[in-house]
């Protein structure tokens, strides 16, 4: 019973944290703030995985527990990788344009290769076949198995719906981020004359 209660608490905390973080991220107008708030959302995804694991363990469903805890741990590792890549990209943008305001940026893909930032953006949006997709898929599989096995159906369904909503909002936030920063036309003189950062400076 204690483990089941802990699972419900972790799952509820993960849903609230994930939704709160991604809504705040989507509303940001600064590259670094958007990335920082998305870290809150990813903590929510990790908590959802841990909640699923605790509920699976409390009901004796080892597959659900394994998928939940593996997904949570893998997402912790994955987040450290793709978020570091995105923050390095944000630092590159700041060093070359002297701003991280979305209103001042635009068209950077013409002057700065954006393939690594695009890769990090796709990974944080959990698009296949990148690492963010794998860790979230494991959490999804745990919740789907929880529904299929009839154990914790309502909790698993709520987690499934919340994770899907979080994922959709993440795609919205990072599409806005990448599109505003790298596509379109430059909005300031500094952005128009920017180039890739020199690694030896």
């Amino acid at each position: 019973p204690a483990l089941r209660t802990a699972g419900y608490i972790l799952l509820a905390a993960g849903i609230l944290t994930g939704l709160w973080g991604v809504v705040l991220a989507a509303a940001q107008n600064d590259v670094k703030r958007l990335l920082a708030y998305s870290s809150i959302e990813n903590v929510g995804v990790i908590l959802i995985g841990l909640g699923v694991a605790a509920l699976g363990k409390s009901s004796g469903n080892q597959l659900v527990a394994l998928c939940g805890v593996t997904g949570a741990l893998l997402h912790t590792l994955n987040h450290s990788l793709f978020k570091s890549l995105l923050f390095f990209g944000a630092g590159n943008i700041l060093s070359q344009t002297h701003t991280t305001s979305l209103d001042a940026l635009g068209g950077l893909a013409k002057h700065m290769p954006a393939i690594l930032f695009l890769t990090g953006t796709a990974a944080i949006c959990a698009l296949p076949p990148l690492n963010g997709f794998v860790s979230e898929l494991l959490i999804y599989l745990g919740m789907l198995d929880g529904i299929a096995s009839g154990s914790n159906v309502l909790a698993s369904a709520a987690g499934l719906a919340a994770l899907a909503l979080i994922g959709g909002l993440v795609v919205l936030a990072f599409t806005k981020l990448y599109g505003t920063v790298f596509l379109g036309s430059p909005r300031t003189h500094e952005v128009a004359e920017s180039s890739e950062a020199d690694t030896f400076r």
Side-chain angles (χ1 to χ4, degrees), residues 78-163:
N78 289 341
H79 180 253
S80 71
L81 297 173
F82 55 63
K83 184 55 66 68
S84 297
L85 177 62
L86 290 170
F87 268 116
F88 276 123
N92 193 354
I93 292 166
L94 178 60
S95 70
Q96 297 305 104
T97 64
H98 310 293
T99 183
T100 54
S101 172
L102 295 183
D103 289 336
L105 296 168
L108 283 182
K110 298 172 185 174
H111 312 286
M112 303 168 68
I115 188 65
L116 290 178
F117 200 93
L118 179 61
T119 302
T121 300
I124 204 169
C125 290
L127 298 179
L130 299 170
N131 56 352
F133 168 76
V134 176
S135 53
E136 288 197 25
L137 177 63
L138 287 169
I139 299 172
Y140 274 115
L141 290 175
M143 291 186 288
L144 288 170
D145 191 75
I147 295 172
S149 64
S151 60
N152 305 304
V153 175
L154 290 178
S156 295
L160 196 67
L163 193 55

